[in-house]
């Protein structure tokens, strides 16, 4: 049976569409069409700023970006003073991630990216990209939020990798087709809604018998998962709370509220934030006092 008989083109969207033998780049529109290209590499020359602290974070407070801000603030709150950092705003909607300096750190041109200018053992600075890799690196460097017990460590890493593999279904799948695509496609929304609800059920069942994601300890698994699924069950992600009936995942909601109440999490959510309430936007972070004195509302009043 030919594909045309199995999937008649008149049922495609748009009606009559048949994929060509060779794909060509024709912009499909949508919220991020202007910065999406099928090629990699720097598009212009631009050096990145470097501050005074060992860790230089280049990011934006998207779910993936928030993870690193939370991790660094948690390390500082736990007494690791040498985890100090400078956080620089990368405006992805303006294409900052395609500057040569950023691409030197992350050839994939995605936030977050970080440089460690004081790596454990000394030597040349270490470049870091991919949020899971950054959190694992920091956890190992400081011996924090990653258990040393072999079974607890393995369980933490199970959930860390689960998040890195699962989130694209939530963000690039459900979020894109539900909120950002230039047209509503029922099949796509149904497909990714089903997967996101399945993921929420996975978390809900895990949290039914565990205080934290990986057991009885707060770990990088919680920090990685919270910005995506915590925000989702809070109802803020894509304004989809009612659509997905997120309140029904009671264990995830309980866990979300517990994590969200942590002072370091509240600060981390502000780092490199450039949207929403200006009192919670800290475009750049160079000192602990910045949370009190340099939020966007205060800076605008000073002007």
């Amino acid at each position: 049976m030919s594909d045309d008989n199995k999937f008649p083109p008149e049922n495609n969207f748009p009606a009559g569409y048949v994929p060509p033998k060779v794909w060509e780049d024709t912009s499909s529109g949508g919220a991020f069409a202007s910065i999406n290209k099928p090629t990699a590499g720097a598009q212009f020359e631009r050096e990145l700023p470097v501050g005074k602290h060992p860790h230089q974070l280049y990011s934006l407070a998207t779910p993936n970006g928030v993870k690193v801000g939370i991790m660094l603030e948690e390390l500082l709150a736990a007494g690791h003073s040498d985890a100090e950092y400078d956080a620089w705003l990368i405006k992805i909607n303006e294409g900052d991630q395609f500057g040569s300096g950023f691409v030197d750190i992350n050839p994939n041109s995605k936030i977050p990216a970080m440089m460690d200018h004081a790596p454990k053992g000394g030597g040349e600075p270490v470049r870091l990209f991919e949020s899971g890799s950054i959190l694992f690196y920091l956890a190992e460097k400081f011996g924090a939020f990653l258990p040393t017990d072999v079974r607890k460590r393995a369980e933490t890493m199970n959930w860390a990798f689960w998040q890195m593999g699962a989130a694209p279904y939530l963000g690039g799948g459900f979020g894109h087709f539900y909120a950002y695509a230039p047209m509503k496609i029922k099949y796509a929304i149904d497909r990714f809604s089903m997967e996101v609800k399945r993921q929420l059920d996975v978390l809900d069942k895990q949290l039914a018998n565990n205080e934290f994601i990986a057991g009885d300890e707060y770990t990088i698994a919680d920090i990685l998962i919270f910005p995506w699924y915590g925000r989702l069950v809070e109802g803020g992600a894509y304004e989809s709370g009612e659509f997905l009936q997120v309140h029904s995942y009671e264990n995830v909601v309980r866990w979300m509220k517990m994590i969200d109440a942590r002072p370091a999490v509240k600060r981390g959510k502000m780092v490199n934030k450039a949207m929403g309430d200006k009192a919670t936007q800290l475009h750049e972070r160079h000192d602990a006092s910045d949370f009190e004195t340099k939020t966007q509302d205060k800076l605008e009043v000073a002007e």
Side-chain angles (χ1 to χ4, degrees):
M1 181 182 293
S2 71
D3 284 346
D4 284 355
N5 291 329
K6 288 174 62 179
F7 306 107
E10 60 268 23
N11 291 344
N12 291 348
F13 188 84
Y17 171 72
V18 176
K21 290 185 177 180
V22 177
W23 180 80
E24 294 182 3
D25 183 10
T26 56
S27 177
S28 58
F32 304 103
S34 63
I35 61 170
N36 287 335
K37 294 184 179 181
T39 56
Q43 297 178 11
F44 55 89
E45 293 294 320
R46 180 184 294 168
E47 293 185 6
L48 291 174
V50 179
K52 63 183 179 180
H53 295 305
H55 307 95
Q56 299 295 304
L57 174 63
Y58 305 96
S59 193
L60 180 70
T62 65
N64 285 332
V66 162
K67 298 171 186 175
V68 185
I70 291 174
M71 181 67 173
L72 289 165
E73 289 298 324
E74 289 282 15
L75 288 168
L76 291 169
H80 299 282
S81 58
D82 46 352
E84 267 292 359
Y85 68 104
D86 295 278
W88 306 92
L89 182 65
I90 299 296
K91 300 177 182 177
I92 61 174
N93 59 320
E94 296 180 13
D96 289 352
Q97 68 274 31
F98 299 111
S100 57
F102 191 91
V103 174
D104 284 345
I105 301 176
N106 186 358
N108 195 38
S109 292
K110 303 287 185 181
I111 60 96
M114 195 178 82
M115 291 294 296
D116 182 0
H117 292 271
K120 194 173 181 178
E124 293 295 314
V126 173
R127 77 172 185 178
L128 296 154
F129 60 92
E130 289 295 326
S131 57
S133 174
I134 296 173
L135 263 63
F136 178 66
Y137 175 90
L138 290 171
E140 287 211 308
K141 178 179 180 179
F142 293 103
F145 308 116
L146 183 61
T148 56
D149 174 84
V150 64
R151 290 168 181 81
K152 292 182 177 181
R153 186 182 180 92
E155 185 69 1
T156 298
M157 296 308 294
N158 287 340
W159 287 103
F161 278 92
W162 175 87
Q163 189 281 319
M164 297 300 291
Y169 287 96
L170 172 50
F174 173 76
H176 178 77
F177 287 106
Y178 183 78
Y180 301 126
M183 76 282 289
K184 302 299 182 187
I185 304 174
K186 183 180 185 301
Y187 174 82
I189 292 173
D190 285 349
R191 169 68 179 87
F192 288 110
S193 296
M194 180 181 296
E195 175 60 16
V196 168
K197 287 181 72 66
R198 189 193 68 80
Q199 292 175 2
L200 285 170
D201 198 42
V202 169
L203 287 176
D204 204 59
K205 286 180 167 60
Q206 172 68 8
L207 287 164
N209 299 306
N210 295 282
E211 183 179 9
F212 297 101
I213 292 292
D216 58 359
E217 294 182 46
Y218 179 59
T219 69
I220 59 171
D222 297 281
I223 299 173
L224 286 165
I225 293 170
F226 170 78
W228 281 105
Y229 296 90
R231 182 167 175 245
L232 185 64
V233 297
E234 191 178 26
Y238 317 115
E239 299 181 349
S240 62
E242 181 179 5
F243 181 75
L244 294 174
Q245 292 290 282
V246 296
H247 65 275
S248 65
Y249 302 96
E250 296 179 358
N251 299 309
V252 185
V253 172
R254 184 270 306 166
W255 166 82
M256 175 273 293
K257 291 179 178 178
M258 177 179 62
I259 303 300
D260 197 46
R262 297 176 68 90
V265 171
K266 292 183 182 298
R267 291 192 298 274
K269 288 166 60 178
M270 296 170 64
V271 175
N272 296 141
K273 185 179 178 182
M275 295 182 66
D277 181 4
K278 291 183 178 180
T280 65
Q281 291 185 30
L282 187 64
H283 288 192
E284 293 184 6
R285 187 273 189 207
H286 305 290
D287 187 84
S289 64
D290 291 349
F291 292 100
E292 301 297 328
T293 63
K294 294 186 178 179
T295 53
Q296 198 61 17
D297 60 328
K298 294 182 175 67
L299 293 179
E300 292 183 6
V301 168
E303 291 176 358

